[in-house]
Amino acid sequence: MRHHIVLRVVAKLLIPLILLFALYVQFHGDYGPGGGFQAGVIFAAAFILYAIIFGLESARLVVPPTIIRAGVALGVLLYAGVGVASLLLGGTFLDYSVLAHDPLHGQHYGILLVELGVGITVASVMIAIFFTFAGRSR
Amino acid sequence: MVIAIAIVRMRDLFATVMLTGIFSLLSAGLFVVWDAVDVAFTEASVGAGIVTVLMLGTLSLTGKSEKTPAYSPTLPLVVTVLTGAALIYGTLDMPLYGDPAAPIHQHVAPRYLNESYGEIGLPNVVTSVLASYRGYDTLGEVTVIFTAGISVLLLLGTTRRTKGKSKDDREEGEKP
């Protein structure tokens, strides 16, 4: 891939925009279409594009496999942790209303955190699966 | 439909994967026409995007062209046609698309649509339902993805490394 100058330049231009769009989908999912699943997939797509254009080794330098593996577990833990936090605060499991003084704010925080957990897990799993498959092919 | 037939007839797996991606993109367009924007978004990103890339990755591991099957395709064809006919027969009982008297619009949907803004405070009802009313289901889905990722890492990811790392041992202990 040393000689695909057009691909490399276009990818460099596009990747920040893809990441930004993923974050927009992640945090704007409450107000428009989107949410953790879609944002995680788009986020992972940016890194997969990077890995395809610039090679697997440089992509492994950008996101080390340890961080990905931690992310896979971190998302689920964040999701379940929100549920446990609402348990400890006196509600039922995953009842976000008790997370803040105002039930509406509590719901908002809860959904934001839960969607973040979904996004982290989905993105990490997608990157991990792609890296594993691509790493086997050589 | 045309693309589905083309996928079945095609022997070149690379073209098949590409057509599968196009099929997903067309379904996403269909979902937009049906006003299911969130589903369309998921279909476009997961179905057309990630799945195509993963299938290409799999292709680079296996071969590029389909082998001629060693068995007769008659029995699978009969089973598939029978199942499809049964499913289509089942849809004859279902209410028409967009029918306001359909059971799905009578159960909890009115409550979600009318009261979720007061209870959750989010304009996007889909997000409210997914993340709050159906929080358990979404937690289950995330766990499924988590399990899938761990399984792939376990099956394919640890070939190069030496055995006996404590982390891998612990993860292997969770396998059924």
Side-chain angles (χ1 to χ4, degrees):
Chain A
M1 282 290 174
R2 298 289 329 162
H3 303 295
H4 292 107
I5 183 89
V6 175
L7 278 182
R8 295 163 70 92
V9 171
V10 170
K12 268 187 185 168
L13 281 176
L14 275 182
I15 285 174
L17 293 178
I18 296 176
L19 290 177
L20 193 65
F21 182 63
L23 290 177
Y24 166 77
V25 171
Q26 173 81 57
F27 293 110
H28 204 260
D30 308 355
Y31 303 101
F37 282 99
Q38 295 93 330
V41 169
I42 296 172
F43 206 75
F47 288 107
I48 290 177
L49 177 66
Y50 186 88
I52 290 176
I53 302 288
F54 296 97
L56 201 59
E57 289 312 313
S58 40
R60 280 222 172 96
L61 289 180
V62 177
V63 268
T66 26
I67 289 187
I68 295 174
R69 250 173 249 170
V72 170
L74 183 71
V76 183
L77 281 179
L78 183 60
Y79 199 134
V82 172
V84 173
S86 61
L87 265 187
L88 292 180
L89 287 172
T92 51
F93 189 65
L94 290 175
D95 177 16
Y96 314 132
S97 299
V98 292
L99 289 179
H101 293 299
D102 184 8
L104 279 187
H105 285 176
Q107 289 282 349
H108 208 147
Y109 293 146
I111 289 178
L112 209 63
L113 284 173
V114 157
E115 293 277 358
L116 187 63
V118 174
I120 291 175
T121 293
V122 171
S124 313
V125 167
M126 294 300 163
I127 297 175
I129 292 179
F130 177 78
F131 276 10
T132 318
F133 272 56
R136 291 272 293 192
S137 61
R138 282 173 305 113
Chain B
M1 189 72 186
V2 174
I3 292 179
I5 293 175
I7 291 174
V8 175
R9 298 295 304 168
M10 196 78 72
R11 281 268 171 240
D12 186 3
L13 287 180
F14 184 78
T16 309
V17 170
M18 283 302 155
L19 282 176
T20 318
I22 295 174
F23 186 77
S24 289
L25 203 59
L26 286 180
S27 332
L30 200 60
F31 289 138
V32 172
V33 173
W34 287 341
D35 279 343
V37 197
D38 282 85
V39 185
F41 205 164
T42 317
E43 180 68 37
S45 54
V46 178
I50 293 290
V51 169
T52 311
V53 172
L54 287 184
M55 293 289 263
L56 289 180
T58 318
L59 273 192
S60 69
L61 289 182
T62 60
K64 250 188 74 175
S65 65
E66 191 178 348
K67 279 183 192 144
T68 321
Y71 49 85
S72 158
T74 320
L75 181 64
L77 188 66
V78 168
V79 170
T80 316
V81 167
L82 279 182
T83 316
L87 288 177
I88 292 176
Y89 177 71
T91 60
L92 294 181
D93 269 354
M94 287 172 70
L96 289 174
Y97 174 73
D99 182 7
I104 195 172
H105 297 309
Q106 302 292 330
H107 184 43
V108 286
R111 180 164 176 271
Y112 288 160
L113 287 179
N114 294 326
E115 296 176 24
S116 81
Y117 192 73
E119 286 179 352
I120 315 286
L122 296 183
N124 187 357
V125 185
V126 177
T127 305
S128 300
V129 172
L130 268 186
S132 189
Y133 291 117
R134 290 282 176 263
Y136 280 113
D137 293 358
T138 312
L139 178 60
E141 289 167 20
V142 179
T143 317
V144 167
I145 294 179
F146 171 73
T147 317
I150 282 191
S151 313
V152 168
L153 284 178
L154 272 178
L155 289 174
L156 297 176
T158 54
T159 47
R160 298 258 175 72
R161 237 165 301 129
T162 51
K163 282 184 183 174
K165 285 186 82 175
S166 60
K167 185 169 176 289
D168 294 341
D169 284 347
R170 201 172 62 238
E171 281 176 354
E172 269 164 14
E174 292 170 3
K175 265 205 320 190

